[in-house]
Amino acid sequence: MTPLLLATSRGILEIVEGILQVHPQAVEHVSNKGHNIMHVAIRHRQKEIFCRVKKMRIPMARLSRKIDDDGNTLLHHVADMTDYGGGSQPNPALQLQEELQWFESVKKLIPSHYDMHHNRNNEAAQEFFERTHSKLLEEAQNWLKRTSESCSVIAVLIATVAFTAAYTVPGGSNDKTGLPILLHDPFFLVFTVMDVLSLVSSLTSVVMFISILTSPFRFQDFHHSLPKKLTLAFTFLFFSVAVTMLAFSATVLLIIHMKKRWTTTLLYAVAFVPVTVFALLQFPLYFAFMGTLRYSLSMMKKVLPSSIVRSLFRSDHTTSFWRNE
């Protein structure tokens, strides 16, 4: 193991860049097992070093084709979990998605016929990956099932409350006409709209969580399908919590008839406390699923005409992402 390969295995980008600037030919170094810098970076999940070396177009053409002494290609080293430290994601489902994305990123670099290459254990990269990641797949399945079951119970409770509130309108109904007494109050419209949105969004969330629970939970499902469904389910669940609290605030204002502006503002602020707490707790999960959102945007670019896409998304961040893709 040369200093360059040791720094790569530890993820010390500054040393790697310093060595490559002074001695660019060091990128050709191999270990006593036939591992080059790309083998080591992929094996240890050092993505920054991986991207740094990938920019070196001429050496990269040779490095991507190298096979080590055990007959392993770059893809086989993605499947090797000997030095896997758990990744950068907080739960098994996202860790598995990260591994699948890592596999696809490396797959784009190697020649297409390397997919069928077998190592000394007579395993192709895909077979090796599925065997070594079977435990992680099981953990991801259990986590996703528990999360979906818990959240679907919450969504059903919100839907029950919203459905009940629709038949017990604030202020009661007129005995002669059957119409709500506070029908013409502006806050009654707010209550009605928020209650309908709460019911619709919570039921949609339940449908999404049921769709997750009935999925086959295969490897390919954790790449885009299941993370996308979970993101949508959480979005509808969060939205149902928010509009339910708005409906609650409108109900209180209808019943006690607060006229002062500051009391109305205070009530709405207090009503959003649980919504804010829920958002803060779920923000790390949303942030982790940003890769799924970017994938959806890239697929939209391929389907829609480029002029429509540019008019819908004009941010520099999105444009730079599409350019990289």
Side-chain angles (χ1 to χ4, degrees), residues 47-299:
K47 296 184 180 180
E48 291 184 355
I49 298 176
F50 172 81
C51 295
R52 168 67 176 82
V53 178
K54 190 170 69 171
K55 295 178 182 178
M56 305 172 67
R57 297 296 179 86
I58 297 177
M60 191 60 206
R62 297 190 297 271
L63 294 174
S64 62
R65 289 173 169 79
K66 292 292 184 179
I67 298 176
D68 66 15
D69 296 344
D70 293 323
N72 294 318
T73 64
L74 295 184
L75 270 184
H76 284 89
H77 284 277
V78 178
D80 194 339
M81 299 190 71
T82 305
D83 301 301
Y84 180 67
S88 59
Q89 300 300 333
N91 58 68
L94 291 175
Q95 290 171 6
L96 182 56
Q97 184 194 30
E98 184 181 43
E99 286 290 284
L100 290 167
Q101 291 173 343
W102 188 226
F103 189 88
E104 289 297 321
S105 298
V106 176
K107 188 176 181 180
K108 296 177 182 178
L109 298 178
I110 65 173
S112 58
H113 63 276
Y114 272 35
D115 293 350
M116 303 303 296
H117 178 81
H118 288 65
N119 58 14
R120 285 190 175 181
N121 295 326
N122 198 28
E123 284 183 310
Q126 185 69 40
E127 298 171 353
F128 189 24
F129 183 91
E130 292 181 359
R131 180 175 65 82
T132 55
H133 287 73
S134 59
K135 184 178 180 180
L136 183 59
L137 174 64
E138 183 179 355
E139 293 175 355
Q141 290 173 346
N142 293 332
W143 179 87
L144 198 57
K145 287 178 182 178
R146 291 196 307 269
T147 303
S148 299
E149 288 171 355
S150 302
C151 292
S152 60
V153 171
I154 298 173
V156 169
L157 290 175
I158 295 174
T160 303
V161 171
F163 186 81
T164 304
Y167 289 94
T168 55
V169 294
S173 303
N174 191 307
D175 295 334
K176 296 181 179 180
T177 62
L179 296 175
I181 297 174
L182 302 175
L183 179 62
H184 301 290
D185 194 300
F187 284 105
F188 188 85
L189 178 61
V190 175
F191 163 77
T192 304
V193 173
M194 293 301 106
D195 190 65
V196 171
L197 290 177
S198 174
L199 180 61
V200 172
S201 57
S202 59
L203 289 178
T204 305
S205 178
V206 171
V207 171
M208 296 302 299
F209 284 122
I210 292 176
S211 175
I212 293 174
L213 291 172
T214 55
S215 298
F217 295 101
R218 300 166 298 183
F219 275 103
Q220 57 267 32
D221 295 325
F222 281 91
H223 196 186
H224 294 298
S225 175
L226 289 177
K228 189 185 300 182
K229 289 179 180 178
L230 188 61
T231 304
L232 290 174
F234 268 117
T235 300
F236 283 111
L237 180 60
F238 172 76
F239 184 72
S240 65
V241 172
V243 295
T244 299
M245 296 310 301
L246 285 175
F248 163 76
S249 301
T251 302
V252 173
L253 291 172
L254 278 169
I255 294 175
I256 63 180
H257 300 288
M258 291 181 178
K259 299 298 183 181
K260 296 181 179 180
R261 183 184 297 272
W262 70 268
T263 53
T264 304
T265 304
L266 179 62
L267 182 61
Y268 272 107
V270 172
F272 264 95
V273 170
V275 180
T276 305
V277 172
F278 183 80
L280 291 175
L281 291 176
Q282 299 302 329
F283 178 76
L285 186 63
Y286 268 87
F287 184 78
F289 278 115
M290 286 302 293
T292 304
L293 177 60
R294 289 196 295 267
Y295 172 78
S296 300
L297 293 177
S298 63
M299 292 301 295

